[in-house]
Amino acid sequence: MAKSRVKTTAANRCFGGVVSFHEHPSQATGSLMRFSVYVPPQAEGGPVPVLYYLAGLTCTEETFQIKAGAQRYAAEHGVMLVSPDTSPRDAGIPGEEEDYDFGTGAGFYLDAELEPYSERYMMYSYVTAELPELLRDAFPGQADTEMQGVFGHSMGGHGALVLALRNPGLYRSVSAFAPVCAPVLAPWGEKAFSNYLGEDRETWRAYDASELVRERPFADGREILVDQGTEDEFLDEQLYPHVLEEACDASGQRLTLRRHEGYDHSYYFISTFMGDHILHHARALGAV
């Protein structure tokens, strides 16, 4: 893949490094895709580990870089931060703009199997395969894609857990903020999975972290870190952290699930504990 496919649309200095925004024609989605990158100052001396952040419903590639307050911690530990958009845009599919929790801004980090979504909504392939290749070409000598971690929030927390559990050799660390832990039980997941994957609920299990961890806990003993606010407005109906907790207990998977009194679902919550998550990944990726 030629470097010229990636166009830089903006770049700004930040904590000694650079936050930049990019767009490119995607082979996975057949559309123009966007992603953002924070390159820490340590990358000037050689390749640094890559940490992917998957954002939640309605978010874009900008949300994390603007709201999460992560760059200062990434600069401290020497970690590159990469955040893709949450879905294809302007795919021309009827109804994709009607609901906040399905279609545009709601790709759910899966590969759709039903038409017409299967032609564009291939976020699993985009994040796991195409995006690392783009980084190698666009940031030569800076992005160490052999040392990768993944984390995210809400729908993106679901994505991070699923991608890591299904690809333990690709990602060496994983964490999540208020993830959708059992999407086969949640209204968000039921709506997305039935439209993207079909009505056979057995096929949904491949994109459910709680189902996956029962079958394939990490063989190397690595830890999953999850933070959850007790005042999260989506906690009871959509997130189901207790289901993930029970699944990890049953399979022997190491899980640190921290419940924070009074915190909600917002980026005020995320930014409060961002430093802990960057450190969690930096340690696993050999940055500290």
Side-chain angles (χ1 to χ4, degrees), residues 1-8 22-25 133-140 142:
M1 187 178 297
K3 181 180 178 180
S4 60
R5 291 187 63 220
V6 178
K7 176 184 177 181
T8 300
H22 310 269
E23 61 183 31
H24 68 97
E133 185 179 349
L134 287 165
L135 292 176
R136 286 190 288 271
D137 291 330
F139 297 90
Q142 294 183 310

Side-chain angles (χ1 to χ4, degrees), residues 24-48:
H24 68 97
S26 169
Q27 294 176 345
T29 68
S31 61
L32 189 71
M33 291 294 293
R34 298 180 176 87
F35 65 95
S36 63
V37 178
Y38 175 67
V39 179
Q42 293 87 341
E44 295 179 3
V48 296

Side-chain angles (χ1 to χ4, degrees), residues 169-186:
L170 184 61
Y171 303 106
R172 300 185 180 222
S173 58
V174 60
S175 70
F177 297 94
V180 184
C181 294
V184 300
L185 303 175

Side-chain angles (χ1 to χ4, degrees), residues 5-9 20-26 29 31-37 53 59-62 82-90 104 109 123 126-127 130-131 134:
R5 291 187 63 220
V6 178
K7 176 184 177 181
T8 300
T9 59
S20 54
F21 297 88
H22 310 269
E23 61 183 31
H24 68 97
S26 169
T29 68
S31 61
L32 189 71
M33 291 294 293
R34 298 180 176 87
F35 65 95
S36 63
V37 178
Y53 178 88
C59 295
T60 72
E61 76 284 354
E62 293 183 313
V82 180
S83 185
D85 201 353
T86 51
S87 78
R89 302 277 166 174
D90 302 315
T104 301
Y109 305 100
M123 291 300 294
Y126 176 72
V127 175
E130 186 171 10
L131 192 51
L134 287 165

Side-chain angles (χ1 to χ4, degrees), residues 107-119:
F108 274 84
Y109 305 100
L110 52 73
D111 282 349
E113 296 180 5
L114 293 185
E115 294 183 352
Y117 302 102
S118 57
E119 297 180 6

